[in-house]
Amino acid sequence: MSDWSAEAIDYVQAVTDTKLVLSQRYSQWSLAGDTLEDTIGGSSAAQDEIGHIRQLANELEDQGRDMEWIRGARDPEEFANAACLDAIDGDWAAFMATVGPADRAAWYLLDAIDQEDLEGLLTKIGEDEYFHLEYHDARLETLAEEKPEEIQAALEETLPQALAFIGPQSYDEETDPVYQAGFTNRPVAEIREAFAAHYRDLFADTPVSLENVDWDVAADDDEWDATRRRVDDGAIAEEDVSQISGERNELYAMN
């Protein structure tokens, strides 16, 4: 029997799906890093995300979601991942400018959850995420000096998509349904402000300019998909779904 609101279930599902696709992207790019530290960092992050997904999936199953569906037995358009993770085109700089904002947005949403029975799980995930986010920021600062044009171009695309994933700007204390239901302790509008302030500060003393970033994306909820937490109709590729669901290894699982 579900004791979360429908909006709260969709909220946690979107974070879980983002972590599911994040783990896929970390795995795909783990051998493409510029340094050995990048390879180790990406591989470790992928393993952490898998652990987070397993625990969040159990919580969603307790709320009535089907475990096979959660694990990936569905169409690409049914995944509610941050849109910037649909595909990553470019080099390592583009990869870092994509996974960094996506990982931080997912953590900010989790960190806002105010449920006593989830405190232990969220504390453990937060301990892992501390190292993810520190690593992302350190590499983005370095890459901002080495490849400013590439980082700037990627962030102009990925930061608005991560903001849309967090939610519409119009969701304040009076209008955010998840906050109103008591599931979170701060509304989307406040989370968006913290997210934007972080990246403005991070790149303030670098050659990367964020003045062309659309910070007002999803200003209201008119065009925002509340289930998939995005303003576009994109999706991950069928090949991603096949790999995430592990359907090609089904014979091994059955035996």
Side-chain angles (χ1 to χ4, degrees):
M1 176 70 72
S2 171
D3 55 5
W4 297 354
S5 68
E7 291 85 357
I9 294 173
D10 284 343
Y11 182 102
V12 176
Q13 184 69 59
V15 172
T16 306
D17 282 354
T18 291
K19 286 183 167 291
L20 196 56
V21 181
L22 261 175
S23 68
Q24 171 79 349
R25 299 296 176 238
Y26 282 131
S27 300
Q28 290 174 322
W29 284 75
S30 62
L31 298 180
D34 291 343
T35 67
L36 176 61
E37 288 75 13
D38 286 328
T39 297
I40 295 171
S43 299
S44 297
Q47 294 178 58
D48 288 341
E49 297 297 354
I50 291 170
H52 301 168
I53 294 160
R54 290 172 66 92
Q55 296 303 315
L56 291 169
N58 288 335
E59 298 295 337
L60 287 165
E61 187 178 37
D62 287 345
Q63 301 301 318
R65 288 284 161 101
D66 178 76
M67 183 59 82
E68 291 304 310
W69 186 89
I70 296 170
R71 288 174 175 168
R74 45 188 151 138
D75 294 331
E77 294 76 14
E78 294 180 279
F79 283 78
N81 57 280
C84 53
L85 294 172
D86 286 351
I88 301 176
D89 298 319
D91 58 8
W92 186 255
F95 169 74
M96 290 304 302
T98 300
V99 297
D103 212 345
R104 181 170 293 278
W107 167 241
Y108 279 16
L109 290 180
L110 281 180
D111 189 44
I113 294 175
D114 187 18
Q115 300 295 302
E116 186 175 350
D117 58 334
L118 296 180
E119 284 183 1
L121 170 60
L122 297 176
T123 297
K124 179 64 181 77
I125 292 177
E127 291 172 353
D128 294 338
E129 289 297 340
Y130 172 81
F131 294 103
H132 293 196
L133 303 185
E134 286 290 301
Y135 164 66
H136 294 151
D137 285 355
R139 288 298 281 127
L140 284 171
E141 284 185 302
T142 302
L143 289 165
E145 299 293 336
E146 297 172 350
K147 300 180 177 181
E149 294 181 359
E150 290 89 336
I151 290 293
Q152 183 172 317
L155 290 173
E156 287 174 358
E157 182 173 355
T158 62
L159 287 177
Q161 292 172 319
L163 274 171
F165 172 70
I166 291 171
Q169 198 169 32
S170 59
Y171 273 16
D172 57 22
E173 291 185 355
E174 304 297 325
T175 57
D176 183 340
V178 181
Y179 175 80
Q180 284 281 313
F183 192 76
T184 56
N185 58 19
R186 49 192 180 277
V188 157
E190 188 175 323
I191 300 172
R192 281 179 59 122
E193 288 179 9
F195 181 86
H198 175 82
Y199 284 104
R200 287 187 172 116
D201 290 344
L202 183 67
F203 292 103
D205 297 322
T206 74
V208 170
S209 169
L210 300 182
E211 66 178 16
N212 291 326
V213 171
D214 180 8
W215 299 107
D216 296 324
V217 64
D220 54 51
D221 59 342
D222 289 347
E223 297 181 354
W224 186 68
D225 186 327
T227 300
R228 302 189 66 211
R229 305 190 79 84
R230 61 170 65 203
V231 293
D232 62 73
D233 58 0
I236 58 176
E238 290 277 5
E239 180 65 15
D240 287 320
V241 177
S242 176
Q243 293 177 1
I244 287 171
S245 64
E247 63 183 34
R248 291 175 185 165
N249 294 323
E250 187 175 0
L251 179 63
Y252 296 103
M254 292 172 62
N255 295 324

